[in-house]
């Protein structure tokens, strides 16, 4: 967003007193306030207002969907909403990430298991209330699933800088390559424990030949290992979008299989436009029923769906077809944490609660989990 576009968006803000944008933000960030600061050239003040409530402020500006503050913007009733997430990212870029000022330690210490956005949200809330934190991460880097977001959407330098602000201080001790299996053994060592371990298991297609797929996590972790001429992506959400656009950037012919209507895809309007611009075929109302592989080529059996009056996608009889010539099939339906494997008696945050689906929601969940430790009576 260039400076002229920023000025244009700033002038479009009506400064409405009811501030629906702030009420819609899961973290309570007020676009009304940071835009008001930026209107007078106070980009540093604007950035400080955002970072006071959002542990990953520029990250969220870059990846937040339009379903929160932007959807609530009153300008929707006039012409179009202010591009608030983009504005937030620009305010952070221009104003800079402020130093994190921490209070004196209060003598309490917590363990946070998992360093995705929920875990980082919990860390932020705890250390800004005087707690010490041991942060445990099973992999070799911090960030969790946010690290799977492609570079073109979220530069790793932005994420690394924001994570460093939260963890490179004398209040947080980071334990990498530290998968925790015996949670009960931690209880005697800490005043509180928060589990924020994300969703480790990919959702299954539940079809014959699924073993010929790779998961979106494997693909997005190392897309350079999967360069092929023709790629199929199963799914219609943000991870499927990331897979499709990444494959297209490597000059693959890409087809997305979406069991519901195109307008039901859990992506933004600008993402839909980008799919078209990149020449990606979206096979809406289509489900893959079987995958067969001969040599290096995959053949797909598929069926057409219809939407019932109740909003369910069901298969239309007699619409079976066969599609050939795919070099790679990516399963991108999202993931989950098995409920039966969640240890009892701990505070949960993020995807483990089953109530989050975006970075900003996970951050808010982590902060809420921390507040349960800070003020257990509430």
């Amino acid at each position: 967003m260039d400076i002229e576009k920023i000025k244009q968006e700033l002038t479009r803000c009506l400064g409405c007193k009811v501030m629906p944008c702030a009420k819609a933000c899961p973290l309570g960030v007020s676009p009304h306030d940071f835009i008001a600061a930026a209107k007078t050239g106070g980009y540093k003040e604007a950035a400080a207002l955002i970072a006071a409530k959002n542990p990953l402020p520029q990250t969220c500006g870059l990846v937040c969907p339009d379903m929160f503050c932007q959807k609530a913007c009153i300008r929707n009733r006039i012409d179009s909403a202010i591009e608030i997430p983009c504005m937030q990212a620009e305010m952070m870029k221009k104003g800079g990430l402020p130093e994190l000022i921490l209070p004196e330690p209060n003598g309490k210490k917590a363990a946070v298991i998992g360093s995705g956005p929920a875990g980082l949200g919990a860390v932020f809330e705890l250390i800004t209330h005087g707690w010490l934190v041991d942060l445990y991460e099973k992999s070799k880097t911090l960030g969790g699933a946010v690290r799977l977001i492609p570079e073109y959407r979220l530069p790793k330098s932005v994420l690394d800088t924001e994570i460093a602000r939260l963890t490179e201080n004398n209040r947080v001790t980071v334990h990498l390559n530290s998968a925790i299996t015996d949670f009960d053994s931690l209880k005697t060592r800490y005043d509180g424990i928060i589990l924020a371990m994300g969703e480790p298991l990919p959702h299954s297609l539940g079809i014959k030949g699924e073993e010929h797929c790779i998961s979106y996590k494997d693909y997005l972790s190392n897309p350079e290992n999967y360069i092929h001429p023709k790629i199929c992506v199963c799914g219609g959400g943000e991870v499927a979008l990331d897979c499709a656009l990444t494959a297209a950037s490597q000059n693959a012919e890409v087809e997305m299989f979406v069991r519901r209507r195109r307008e039901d895809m859990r992506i933004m309007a600008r993402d839909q436009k980008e799919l078209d611009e990149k020449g990606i075929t979206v096979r809406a109302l289509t489900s893959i029923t079987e995958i067969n592989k001969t040599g290096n080529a995959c053949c797909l059996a598929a069926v057409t769906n219809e939407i019932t009056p109740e909003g369910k996608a069901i298969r239309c009889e007699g619409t079976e077809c066969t599609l050939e010539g795919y070099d790679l099939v990516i399963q991108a339906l999202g993931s989950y944490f098995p409920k039966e494997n969640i240890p009892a008696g701990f505070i949960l945050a993020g995807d483990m609660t089953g109530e989050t689906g975006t970075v900003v929601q996970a951050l808010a969940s982590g902060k809420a989990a921390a507040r349960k430790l800070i003020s257990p009576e509430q």
Side-chain angles (χ1 to χ4, degrees):
M1 185 178 286
D2 59 35
I3 190 64
E4 291 305 317
K5 177 66 173 177
I6 293 171
K7 289 179 179 178
Q8 178 184 339
E9 290 296 276
L10 289 176
T11 58
R12 293 178 66 230
C13 179
L14 301 174
C16 40
K17 294 182 180 179
V18 292
M19 297 191 290
C21 52
K23 295 174 183 176
C25 176
L27 288 168
V29 172
S30 174
H32 170 283
D33 292 338
F34 76 69
I35 288 175
K39 280 183 177 181
T40 61
Y43 294 132
K44 187 173 183 179
E45 179 186 351
L49 289 169
I50 299 165
K53 293 189 175 182
N54 190 328
L56 301 177
Q58 190 174 353
T59 293
C60 275
L62 292 169
V63 305
C64 255
D66 54 7
M67 61 188 285
F68 301 115
C69 57
Q70 190 165 325
K71 184 177 181 180
C73 179
I74 284 179
R75 284 216 70 110
N76 274 312
R77 305 177 190 176
I78 303 170
D79 41 30
S80 61
I82 295 169
E83 296 182 38
I84 298 173
C86 292
M87 292 293 287
Q88 176 169 312
E90 289 298 327
M91 293 305 100
M92 295 309 306
K93 182 178 179 180
K94 293 186 177 300
L97 188 63
E99 180 185 355
L100 193 61
I101 306 300
L102 301 175
E104 288 297 316
N106 61 14
K108 293 186 177 181
K109 189 174 186 179
V112 175
I113 318 299
S115 72
L120 294 171
V123 168
F124 174 87
E125 195 73 7
L126 289 165
I127 63 176
T128 54
H129 284 81
W131 286 58
L132 301 180
V133 177
D134 276 356
L135 177 60
Y136 294 90
E137 169 55 50
K138 67 179 181 180
S139 71
K140 62 182 180 181
T141 54
L142 300 176
V146 183
R147 289 224 170 261
L148 297 178
I149 298 175
E151 181 78 12
Y152 70 88
R153 284 185 61 203
L154 175 60
K156 296 300 182 288
S157 59
V158 171
L159 181 62
D160 290 341
T161 298
E162 294 188 332
I163 290 177
R165 174 175 177 259
L166 300 176
T167 60
E168 293 182 7
N169 53 62
N170 59 4
R171 308 302 167 80
V172 180
T173 302
V174 173
H175 303 269
L176 297 175
N177 300 305
S178 299
I180 303 299
T181 55
D182 184 0
F183 299 94
D184 288 330
S185 66
L186 298 178
K187 288 183 177 179
T188 59
R189 296 164 49 192
Y190 298 100
D191 296 291
I193 299 170
I194 294 173
L195 306 186
M197 297 182 290
E199 297 174 322
L201 300 181
H203 282 297
S204 171
L205 289 169
I207 61 174
K208 184 178 178 181
E210 186 169 3
E211 67 273 12
H212 300 308
C213 296
I214 67 165
S215 76
Y216 74 91
K217 289 187 176 183
D218 289 338
Y219 178 73
L220 291 176
S221 295
N222 297 286
E224 65 279 0
N225 293 341
Y226 301 100
I227 297 177
H228 296 285
K230 189 173 183 179
I231 292 178
C232 160
V233 178
C234 306
E238 287 192 349
V239 293
L241 173 75
D242 285 343
C243 290
L245 292 177
T246 299
S249 73
Q250 297 173 330
N251 299 316
E253 178 187 349
V254 184
E255 295 182 6
M256 296 181 72
F257 284 74
V258 182
R259 69 184 184 90
R260 302 181 65 82
R261 297 166 298 192
R262 181 159 177 168
E263 59 265 33
D264 296 326
M265 293 173 69
R266 300 179 306 280
I267 60 176
M268 293 186 282
R270 67 172 184 240
D271 298 325
Q272 293 276 12
K273 182 180 178 181
E274 189 169 8
L275 289 174
D276 293 334
E277 290 173 346
K278 296 295 172 60
I280 294 169
T281 299
V282 179
R283 292 182 177 271
L285 289 171
T286 307
S287 291
I288 298 172
T289 56
E290 185 175 340
I291 302 171
N292 293 294
K293 191 169 185 178
T294 303
N296 293 322
C298 289
C299 174
L300 311 179
V303 65
T304 300
N305 299 326
E306 64 179 355
I307 303 298
T308 68
E310 296 77 27
K312 293 183 178 180
I314 60 171
R315 299 178 180 181
C316 301
E317 296 298 326
T319 61
E320 294 81 3
C321 65
T322 300
L323 302 164
E324 299 180 340
Y326 299 92
D327 303 288
L328 183 70
V329 180
I330 303 172
Q331 180 271 84
L333 303 178
S335 5
Y336 69 102
F337 196 108
K339 291 184 178 179
E340 64 273 16
N341 292 347
I342 297 177
F346 296 91
I347 296 175
L348 306 181
D351 292 331
M352 293 184 75
T353 67
E355 299 174 355
T356 67
T358 63
V359 173
V360 69
Q361 287 175 314
L363 287 166
S365 176
K367 291 180 68 175
R371 288 194 292 272
K372 291 179 182 179
L373 289 183
I374 296 165
S375 303
E377 68 279 358
Q378 293 183 0

